[in-house]
Amino acid sequence: MLLELRIQNIAIIDDLHLTFPAGFIVLTGETGAGKSILVDAVGLLIGERASAEQIRTGTTEGVIEGIFAIANSGPLTARLKELDLLGDGDDPGELVIRRTLSSSGRHRVRINGNAVPLSTLQDIGQFIVDIHGQHDTQSLFRPITQLDLVDSFGNLFDDRAAFCETYHAAKTLQRDLSTFEKETAELKEQADRLQYEREEIEAAAIQPDEDVVLEQERQVMAQVHNLVEISNELYSTLYEDDRSILSRVGHVEWLLDRLLTVDIRLSDATELLGGATAQLKELAGRIRDYQEQLDVNPDRLEQLEIRLDLLNRMKKRYGGSVASVLDHLDRITKELDRLIVSDDQKESLQHRLVTLHDQQTKQADHLSTRRKKAANELNQCVNKEITDLHMKHATFDAAVEQERDGTLNPNGQDRVQFLFSGSAGEPPCALKDAISGGELSRVTLCIKTVLAREDQIPMLIFDEIDAGIGGAVAERVGKKLQSLGQRHQVFCITHLPQIAALGDAHFSVEKVVKQKRATTQVEQLANEERIDEIARMLGGTKITQAVKRTAKEMLGVA
């Protein structure tokens, strides 16, 4: 509830400091006195847009400050904790909001001493006060407001939150599945390319250093005829000719034996000669084997050229060397193993999605059933209140219907539309098309009266709710406001004495002239002052004793 309100240099208010009690508070005064300025000031405290034109002429800054009492628990306290704005001073149960308007356009907001952006003020403002004026009641036309009112009346927010959680989980899983399917298609395309590369490399059956070995063989095959001739001559020189090296070694051995029969000092030469003979024979054998290995097949050179051409293409495509080709094969083999996506994973996602869709359908049906029941009960309660206000032949209907295309949204499968008929025989139409301004304020009052137990907004303001009514109806409106004041702090700007007389507190708003400038003055009225104000509202300019007696009777003053 609002404990204190201070306004400086706003419109025609120079400096105003007010304290308010709990309950039903009425504000009265002549038209143009500045009553609506007070409502606008409270609106600025909950985040309504500000303009430099609202600053009092001749000043550069305007200030509105409100001190509110807040509960230890509830949505407002929870949100302040989330934003780390809960007061921790002498009284953590107080909320201080200060709004400074500057002629430069650089307006400032502070909450419990903390500078915050306007969006934060708007965020918490929705939990502080509900303003119902000639324009503010238009919020009742919004479909989401109508849905919230039905759900609030039926205590359906827990069911709605459970459905919303399932709804968003299904949406998220659907996106995950779509992303999975898209990525699977991309992975398959990538896997097909890698599979082609792997098959190409494996088909080539490349061996380590194969290109080096084959290049050496190609060089040999290119000179094979020369090599045959040279090896033949070499073998003949070593072994086959009559005067080959090995045949001459035999003659050397015969001469050495003859020498040793006379002089044994060269006896170790026999061993040296034997070793040399053995190495020469081994060399001759190697050359013979080499000759046998030489392939003079002309097709072999062509085969080598073809194979080396294949290897060169592979090296050019996959890294520049046989080693890099084999490394690439190893890498893509491992990558293919990673890219192979199991169908089980897709089936698991699809199964989970089907389960969530079934769950949200059941939750939506359950929520819709409870919502229709709540709407019917709300209709009965609101129509009872409407009848109590003597709105003859008026009917209210909170119609709950499924979305035309059967689609779901975060709030379920329903749309709620408030219908109203103000005349007998006229079918109900959408509230915004069938209701006058005065009727709308009174229907809002009826709904607020019905929802008083569930409505957690602590402060309500009704501006000009008495338009187009009087007499007994006005008294009934006042009693409903008085009843609301037992659960909320209710402010009402009124021109009707029947409503003003029922207030728990009464403030008079008057425009006076000080130092040749108009300014708004607000005072809480004591008993006698209140009698005079009610009498003024009853009798106009001429206040008779009879009028004053009526005022006393209305106030219940002996």
Side-chain angles (χ1 to χ4, degrees):
M1 60 174 278
L2 179 61
L3 299 176
E4 297 182 39
L5 178 65
R6 183 164 189 176
I7 305 173
Q8 291 179 305
N9 297 326
I10 297 295
I12 61 172
I13 296 176
D14 54 359
D15 192 354
L16 188 63
H17 185 196
L18 301 171
T19 59
F20 297 105
F24 175 36
I25 301 163
V26 295
L27 294 96
T28 62
E30 299 288 352
T31 300
K35 299 184 296 297
S36 293
I37 299 174
L38 300 177
V39 178
D40 293 341
V42 174
L44 290 172
L45 288 178
I46 60 171
E48 291 185 1
R49 290 290 174 182
S51 168
E53 295 177 356
Q54 293 173 280
I55 301 172
R56 184 171 170 82
T57 303
T59 61
T60 58
E61 277 193 350
V63 177
I64 309 99
E65 183 175 84
I67 301 177
F68 299 84
I70 59 175
N72 293 327
S73 61
L76 173 59
T77 305
R79 189 62 181 135
L80 288 169
K81 284 182 179 178
E82 289 176 13
L83 296 170
D84 196 24
L85 293 173
L86 197 59
D88 55 0
D90 295 335
D91 190 352
E94 284 189 353
L95 170 65
V96 180
I97 300 175
R98 183 181 178 89
R99 186 94 181 262
T100 303
L101 278 57
S102 172
S103 59
S104 66
R106 301 183 64 179
H107 311 318
R108 302 185 298 279
V109 178
R110 287 188 174 274
I111 298 177
N112 284 336
N114 301 284
V116 299
L118 181 62
S119 58
T120 299
L121 180 59
Q122 292 168 338
D123 184 9
I124 70 163
Q126 62 182 318
F127 301 109
I128 297 174
V129 60
D130 202 353
I131 299 176
H132 300 281
Q134 294 174 334
H135 303 291
D136 300 288
T137 45
Q138 304 301 313
S139 65
L140 195 62
F141 294 154
R142 294 197 295 266
I144 186 60
T145 300
Q146 297 174 2
L147 179 70
D148 287 345
L149 288 172
V150 171
D151 288 354
S152 175
F153 179 77
N155 292 316
L156 302 181
F157 283 116
D158 287 344
D159 284 354
R160 183 163 134 184
F163 170 82
C164 185
E165 182 178 354
T166 304
Y167 174 85
H168 286 299
K171 284 289 186 183
T172 300
L173 189 57
Q174 181 65 67
R175 286 195 299 268
D176 290 346
L177 181 59
S178 299
T179 301
F180 177 86
E181 290 173 340
K182 180 180 179 182
E183 290 178 348
T184 299
E186 294 173 351
L187 291 176
K188 186 179 184 304
E189 183 178 334
Q190 185 180 358
D192 289 344
R193 177 179 60 80
L194 295 180
Q195 182 64 30
Y196 170 80
E197 293 178 358
R198 180 168 74 173
E199 291 175 356
E200 182 181 44
I201 297 173
E202 288 178 342
I206 301 172
Q207 301 301 316
D209 298 324
E210 183 182 359
D211 56 337
V212 176
V213 174
L214 294 184
E215 181 60 32
Q216 290 174 347
E217 185 180 355
R218 189 188 68 80
Q219 292 178 6
V220 170
M221 291 302 298
Q223 299 291 327
V224 67
H225 293 291
N226 290 335
L227 294 175
V228 169
E229 292 178 3
I230 293 170
S231 62
N232 285 341
E233 183 179 353
L234 182 56
Y235 186 72
S236 296
T237 301
L238 279 172
Y239 187 76
E240 284 188 334
D241 288 353
D242 292 339
R243 294 185 61 80
S244 67
I245 292 174
L246 281 171
S247 65
R248 299 297 293 169
V249 167
H251 182 67
V252 171
E253 185 177 1
W254 178 75
L255 291 174
L256 184 57
D257 286 343
R258 287 183 62 192
L259 185 146
L260 290 176
T261 58
V262 178
D263 188 352
I264 63 171
R265 282 181 295 174
L266 289 177
S267 59
D268 58 339
T270 302
E271 185 177 350
L272 291 173
L273 182 58
T277 301
Q279 289 181 333
L280 287 170
K281 287 180 178 180
E282 183 180 355
L283 176 59
R286 294 275 299 277
I287 292 172
R288 184 184 64 248
D289 294 340
Y290 174 76
Q291 286 177 311
E292 293 174 354
Q293 292 173 2
L294 285 175
D295 186 0
V296 294
N297 182 0
D299 294 337
R300 178 59 182 163
L301 181 59
E302 182 179 358
Q303 293 171 356
L304 288 172
E305 295 288 0
I306 293 173
R307 181 65 178 175
L308 284 169
D309 181 63
L310 173 63
L311 293 178
N312 287 333
R313 290 201 308 273
M314 291 289 184
K315 290 191 293 184
K316 184 177 180 180
R317 190 175 301 168
Y318 300 119
S321 68
V322 166
S324 66
V325 174
L326 296 176
D327 287 343
H328 184 71
L329 176 61
D330 183 60
R331 284 196 305 273
I332 64 176
T333 299
K334 294 177 180 177
E335 185 69 9
L336 278 169
D337 292 339
R338 188 186 69 82
L339 292 177
I340 294 174
V341 180
S342 172
D343 288 340
D344 292 343
Q345 189 174 355
K346 180 178 179 180
E347 290 177 3
S348 175
L349 289 173
Q350 290 174 330
H351 177 72
R352 287 166 54 198
L353 185 59
V354 169
T355 301
L356 281 175
H357 280 160
D358 289 344
Q359 181 179 343
Q360 73 175 0
T361 298
K362 291 178 182 177
Q363 288 177 323
D365 289 343
H366 175 70
L367 180 59
S368 183
T369 299
R370 292 196 63 195
R371 188 172 277 153
K372 289 174 181 176
K373 180 181 178 182
N376 288 333
E377 293 176 357
L378 177 64
N379 292 340
Q380 294 175 16
C381 294
V382 171
N383 281 314
K384 183 175 181 297
E385 297 292 333
I386 287 175
T387 300
D388 196 41
L389 290 184
H390 289 193
M391 295 175 69
K392 293 183 178 180
H393 310 299
T395 58
F396 169 85
D397 180 24
V400 179
E401 297 178 352
Q402 289 191 7
E403 293 288 353
R404 292 187 181 89
D405 53 3
T407 57
L408 300 175
N409 61 64
N411 298 319
Q413 62 186 6
D414 305 313
R415 53 189 177 89
V416 173
Q417 186 176 32
F418 284 2
L419 306 177
F420 183 79
S421 173
S423 304
E426 292 297 324
C429 298
L431 192 66
K432 63 184 179 65
D433 299 325
I435 199 165
S436 66
E439 287 174 327
L440 180 58
S441 293
R442 291 191 288 280
V443 168
T444 300
L445 174 60
C446 291
I447 293 173
K448 284 291 180 181
T449 300
V450 171
L451 293 175
R453 291 181 182 275
E454 289 77 24
D455 195 347
Q456 297 192 57
I457 297 178
M459 179 179 169
L460 303 174
I461 297 177
F462 290 91
D463 185 7
E464 308 291 356
I465 196 174
D466 53 12
I469 64 172
V473 175
E475 184 177 355
R476 289 181 181 273
V477 168
K479 287 183 176 179
K480 290 190 183 299
L481 290 168
Q482 188 181 50
S483 177
L484 271 179
Q486 295 175 9
R487 294 185 177 273
H488 305 268
Q489 185 185 38
V490 178
F491 289 81
C492 178
I493 294 175
T494 182
H495 294 284
L496 296 179
Q498 296 94 329
I499 293 177
L502 292 170
D504 298 313
H506 190 155
F507 287 78
S508 171
V509 183
E510 183 181 5
K511 182 164 64 175
V512 298
V513 177
K514 292 181 179 180
Q515 298 179 350
K516 298 183 179 181
R517 289 200 67 180
T519 186
T520 294
Q521 181 174 286
V522 182
E523 293 182 0
Q524 183 173 2
L525 302 181
N527 289 340
E528 287 299 322
E529 296 168 326
R530 194 171 182 189
I531 293 170
D532 290 341
E533 177 66 6
I534 297 296
R536 179 195 66 77
M537 298 173 73
L538 285 167
T541 56
K542 186 177 181 180
I543 308 300
T544 66
Q545 289 300 316
V547 171
K548 293 193 74 170
R549 281 195 300 272
T550 302
K552 287 182 180 182
E553 291 174 1
M554 293 177 69
L555 289 168
V557 178

